[in-house]
């Protein structure tokens, strides 16, 4: 815990600093939700195809989902999502060809969650 999933458009492979982002994200989460950095686990998943409304090619998406054990307030979860979006913007090199759509969500893990 926390379980972090980053879904991103394939077009961002060359412009997204994955390791730098994870290296900055884990301490941010640990400090915000009072957990240990060692508890943070991040998966990056490239999405082969994306579509944004009726936009032509050239749009790219990054969506971050942070799942944590229950007990955090909605306000703390919203604060974390905002902080993650601010951090994310600093780890994607902007290009003239791509319009970025960034989003983040924090949620509670299901009570069935177990780890080893």
């Amino acid at each position: 815990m926390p379980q972090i999933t980053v879904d991103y458009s394939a077009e961002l492979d060359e412009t997204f600093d994955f390791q730098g982002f994870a290296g900055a994200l884990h301490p941010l989460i640990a400090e915000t939700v009072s957990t240990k950095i060692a508890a943070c686990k991040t998966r990056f998943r490239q999405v082969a195809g994306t579509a944004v409304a009726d936009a032509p090619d050239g749009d790219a998406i990054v969506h971050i989902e942070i799942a944590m054990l229950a007990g955090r307030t909605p306000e703390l979860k919203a604060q974390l999502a905002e902080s993650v979006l601010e951090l994310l913007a600093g780890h994607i090199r902007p290009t003239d060809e791509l319009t970025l759509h960034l989003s983040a969500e924090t949620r509670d893990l299901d009570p069935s969650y177990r780890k080893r």
Side-chain angles (χ1 to χ4, degrees):
M1 186 298 297
Q3 297 291 324
I4 306 141
T5 304
V6 180
D7 292 318
Y8 68 94
S9 299
E11 296 86 358
L12 296 175
D13 261 345
E14 301 298 318
T15 63
F16 193 167
D17 176 14
F18 303 107
Q19 293 306 314
F21 177 65
L25 178 66
H26 294 171
L28 171 69
I29 292 173
E31 182 178 323
T32 303
V33 302
S34 300
T35 191
K36 295 182 186 211
I37 293 172
C40 296
K41 299 161 195 75
T42 299
R43 294 178 303 279
F44 292 91
R45 299 189 302 197
Q46 183 188 84
V47 178
T50 59
V52 178
D54 60 352
D57 291 341
D59 282 12
I61 297 171
V62 179
H63 178 72
I64 301 168
E65 179 182 287
I66 303 167
M68 303 172 286
L69 294 173
R72 276 67 180 205
T73 65
E75 295 80 16
L76 182 66
K77 291 178 190 177
Q79 174 192 343
L80 178 58
E82 285 293 332
S83 297
V84 167
L85 288 176
E86 288 177 24
L87 181 68
L88 176 62
H91 290 274
I92 300 175
R93 190 175 67 250
T95 68
D96 292 335
E97 298 83 36
L98 292 174
T99 300
L100 294 176
H101 300 270
L102 310 177
S103 59
E105 171 188 9
T106 57
R107 65 172 185 84
D108 292 340
L109 287 163
D110 189 84
S112 66
Y113 172 77
R114 301 291 185 270
K115 70 175 187 170
R116 290 188 186 188

